[in-house]
Amino acid sequence: MAIKLIATDLNGTLLHNDQTFNQSLFKETLQALGQRGIRLVLSSGNQFTHLEKLFHDVMADNLAIVAENGASIYLQGKQGFDGSLSAEDLHHFVTVDRHQDFLKSAYVILVGQQGSYTETGAPQVLIDAAEKFYDNLQQVADLSTVEDRIKKISISTVPGEATKLVADLNAYFDGKLQAHDSGYGVVDVVAANVGKLPAVQWLADRWHVAADEIMAFGDGANDVPLLQFAKQSWAMSNAPASVRDAATHVTSVDNEHDGVLTTIQSALMVI
């Protein structure tokens, strides 16, 4: 069957390492997809407000944005799905879960609809790094005082320990919440029904697209379920071996050289 939906991760995949992308090639590719009735889904762990600014000049009717690891889905600038954490789950996290031994020394950011929030006293080097990815980052004395719709909870660790932290969190939550390795030493905690794959499945159902009509791109552990689901899945050449093994194809060039867009351009010849 012909491809009707293409979903791509952003950091390490569509985006260059400095958070830029080839706008002219992106516009050309998106227009060509639109002419063929193919929708493009940008899927990321980043906040929607951050992505909205990044892609403001290239928005189109056949472009959808999945933000906060699937907690938000936006179509034509309007939110179609809101997977925010419940007030009860958030309160339990900041008053109980946050103080478990394996999280006591962790750097935590609550990512909300209006801004991002972390505890006062976080190291400045981490604040500086976080401000590149989290809009309106505020320091608060007590996370329980935050009044916002929280989409996800980001927890920083060293990259080599992220896999263990994900396993520890998922064992601890026992299905009540879900932890995903977002790469770069960041683990995201979201509602149990939230993730990149559920978000793409939600869109596919809305658009009457079957799994074998989906193409997907990714480079990280949180992309693996989607890569395994899509008929045509492409791991980036810069992805770890475990991610490359999960996909049906590997791009010939990396994210720094527009691997996603050049692969889509080549695929358009046969789609």
Side-chain angles (χ1 to χ4, degrees):
M1 299 180 73
I3 297 298
K4 296 181 180 178
L5 186 160
I6 300 176
T8 180
D9 172 54
L10 296 183
N11 290 324
T13 304
L14 178 70
L15 297 179
H16 302 160
N17 294 337
D18 63 358
Q19 289 269 293
T20 63
F21 63 100
N22 187 331
Q23 288 204 17
S24 60
L25 183 57
F26 185 93
K27 289 180 180 179
E28 175 187 311
T29 304
L30 191 58
Q31 182 178 21
L33 291 175
Q35 291 171 347
R36 291 164 172 78
I38 302 170
R39 302 176 191 269
L40 180 63
V41 178
L42 306 180
S43 180
S44 174
N46 287 336
Q47 281 176 285
F48 174 71
T49 52
H50 179 75
L51 300 178
E52 186 179 35
K53 293 175 183 176
L54 192 61
F55 291 95
H56 179 269
D57 294 334
V58 295
M59 295 303 295
D61 288 345
N62 63 320
L63 182 66
I65 294 180
V66 171
E68 297 110 16
N69 259 326
S72 298
I73 302 176
Y74 280 80
L75 303 163
Q76 298 178 345
K78 297 182 179 179
Q79 185 168 308
F81 173 83
D82 181 359
S84 298
L85 293 166
S86 70
E88 294 77 15
D89 284 339
L90 178 61
H91 180 73
H92 196 275
F93 180 88
V94 298
T95 59
V96 178
D97 308 334
R98 173 72 181 90
H99 303 291
Q100 299 303 304
D101 287 342
F102 63 96
L103 287 180
K104 281 183 178 178
S105 60
Y107 174 61
V108 173
I109 298 177
L110 303 183
V111 181
Q113 185 93 18
Q114 306 300 325
S116 301
Y117 314 88
T118 192
E119 295 149 315
T120 302
Q124 190 59 45
V125 64
L126 291 176
I127 293 292
D128 293 342
E131 285 179 337
K132 298 177 183 178
F133 300 96
Y134 301 94
D135 284 4
N136 191 21
L137 182 61
Q138 304 171 38
Q139 296 186 56
V140 298
D142 185 348
L143 290 176
S144 68
T145 64
V146 172
E147 296 182 357
D148 195 352
R149 292 187 64 81
I150 300 303
K151 302 291 188 173
K152 69 172 186 174
I153 301 164
S154 289
I155 304 170
S156 291
T157 184
V158 295
E161 296 181 3
T163 299
K164 183 179 185 304
L165 181 57
V166 167
D168 288 344
L169 285 167
N170 284 331
Y172 173 78
F173 290 130
D174 192 26
K176 294 178 181 178
L177 298 175
Q178 184 72 29
H180 299 276
D181 182 353
S182 285
Y184 309 97
V186 176
V187 172
D188 284 342
V189 175
V190 293
N193 65 329
V194 164
K196 289 187 175 182
L197 174 57
V200 171
Q201 290 173 320
W202 185 91
L203 286 167
D205 182 65
R206 181 186 180 96
W207 293 329
H208 308 291
V209 175
D212 58 3
E213 297 172 319
I214 297 174
M215 178 186 291
F217 293 84
D219 78 307
N222 62 338
D223 300 314
V224 168
L226 177 57
L227 293 176
Q228 293 174 331
F229 176 79
K231 177 185 179 181
Q232 289 192 40
S233 58
W234 293 82
M236 302 304 295
S237 61
N238 49 283
S242 58
V243 178
R244 297 197 303 270
D245 291 343
T248 58
H249 307 279
V250 177
T251 62
S252 58
V253 294
D254 62 14
N255 65 306
E256 284 290 276
H257 298 88
D258 306 319
V260 170
L261 297 176
T262 56
T263 300
I264 292 175
Q265 288 275 351
S266 296
L268 288 176
M269 299 177 184
V270 295
I271 290 178

